[in-house]
Amino acid sequence: MSRLKEVTKGIIKENPVLVLILGTCPTLAVSTQASNAIGMGLAATAVLLGSNIVISLLRSVIPDKVRIPCYIVLIAGFVTLVEMIVEAYTYTLYQALGIYLPLIVVNCIILGRAEMYANKNSVLNSALDAIGMGIGFTLTLLVMASIREIFGNGTWFGMEIPWLKDNSISVLTMAPGGFVVFGCLIALVSKISKGRVRTNGESKCEGCPSAQACGKQSAS
């Protein structure tokens, strides 16, 4: 059950986008079409899985003072590999994602899980954490993109939807529409969880890089 929780926590309880508010830039940028959202989600999940596993394996070898540069180098390696695969086999998706595909290197979700989880846990748990966070990220992208594409373009995965095609709300495909949908989904998740996505026992500061400077033992 504990391992199942590692996978499912990223869907609602610790959703990286709607709860932790990470990776918002690619979320807003590529969530105009459902196909692009799935592509970005799978690419980020592949990078997250690979980097979490390798960082967990090397956590006792990487010096603490240079851990962040080391994480970035490892993540960049996986991003380059994924980018080459996407360009080789799904060139249309590669063009659609554009600059946001290589920018996975600086995605806060991936670096955050490396710093806060992978370098403190076993390989298996780190892999499960990556899968769970990847699923949460992909589902969030898909839901946002589906809403924006269906009501903004009158299509879904490129298929035209009768009536909505001629009565679409074009602002949803623009930046303001993205922020509106994003805010509504955050409010919905907060409502579902009743505003308590973390219990008091889980709000600890031990793993925070700023805990020593803060001087607190746990969060309020």
Side-chain angles (χ1 to χ4, degrees):
M1 286 301 295
S2 61
R3 288 178 178 173
L4 179 61
K5 289 180 181 179
E6 290 294 340
V7 177
T8 58
K9 67 182 181 182
I11 299 176
I12 293 292
K13 187 177 180 181
E14 295 184 33
N15 186 285
V17 179
L18 301 179
V19 175
L20 305 181
I21 318 297
L22 300 174
T24 56
C25 181
T27 298
L28 293 169
V30 305
S31 61
T32 54
Q33 290 188 328
S35 57
N36 294 346
I38 290 181
M40 173 59 78
L42 292 177
T45 301
V47 174
L48 183 57
L49 179 60
S51 61
N52 262 25
I53 291 174
V54 173
I55 289 170
S56 179
L57 284 170
L58 300 177
R59 67 184 188 277
S60 60
V61 178
I62 298 176
D64 187 61
K65 291 183 178 180
V66 294
R67 67 185 187 282
I68 300 300
C70 290
Y71 297 163
I72 293 175
V73 170
L74 290 170
I75 293 169
F78 283 106
V79 170
T80 302
L81 179 61
V82 169
E83 185 180 7
M84 293 172 66
I85 293 173
V86 172
E87 184 179 8
Y89 293 100
T90 55
Y91 189 69
T92 303
L93 177 63
Y94 174 78
Q95 289 181 310
L97 296 181
I99 189 62
Y100 295 100
L101 187 57
L103 281 178
I104 293 176
V105 173
V106 292
N107 191 316
C108 295
I109 298 172
I110 298 172
L111 186 59
R113 299 320 293 175
E115 171 68 13
M116 302 301 293
Y117 197 92
N119 74 333
K120 299 178 180 67
N121 291 274
S122 67
V123 175
L124 178 58
N125 284 342
S126 297
L128 294 176
D129 176 77
I131 293 171
M133 290 294 164
I135 291 173
F137 181 57
T138 304
L139 288 177
T140 302
L141 281 174
L142 180 59
V143 171
M144 279 192 63
S146 296
I147 295 173
R148 296 178 69 186
E149 184 180 359
I150 291 172
F151 295 101
N153 280 332
T155 61
W156 193 56
F157 284 98
M159 299 180 293
E160 293 188 1
I161 301 176
W163 191 82
L164 285 176
K165 181 63 179 178
D166 298 323
N167 297 275
S168 59
I169 308 171
S170 59
V171 70
L172 289 178
T173 62
M174 304 176 187
F179 279 103
V180 169
V181 176
F182 185 46
C184 290
L185 289 178
I186 291 176
L188 178 61
V189 169
S190 180
K191 180 67 176 179
I192 292 173
S193 62
K194 298 180 180 179
R196 296 190 298 272
V197 294
R198 289 173 178 266
T199 63
N200 290 335
E202 296 173 311
S203 300
K204 301 294 184 181
C205 294
E206 287 84 350
C208 178
S210 302
Q212 185 175 359
C214 180
K216 295 182 179 180
Q217 297 299 317
S218 62
S220 58

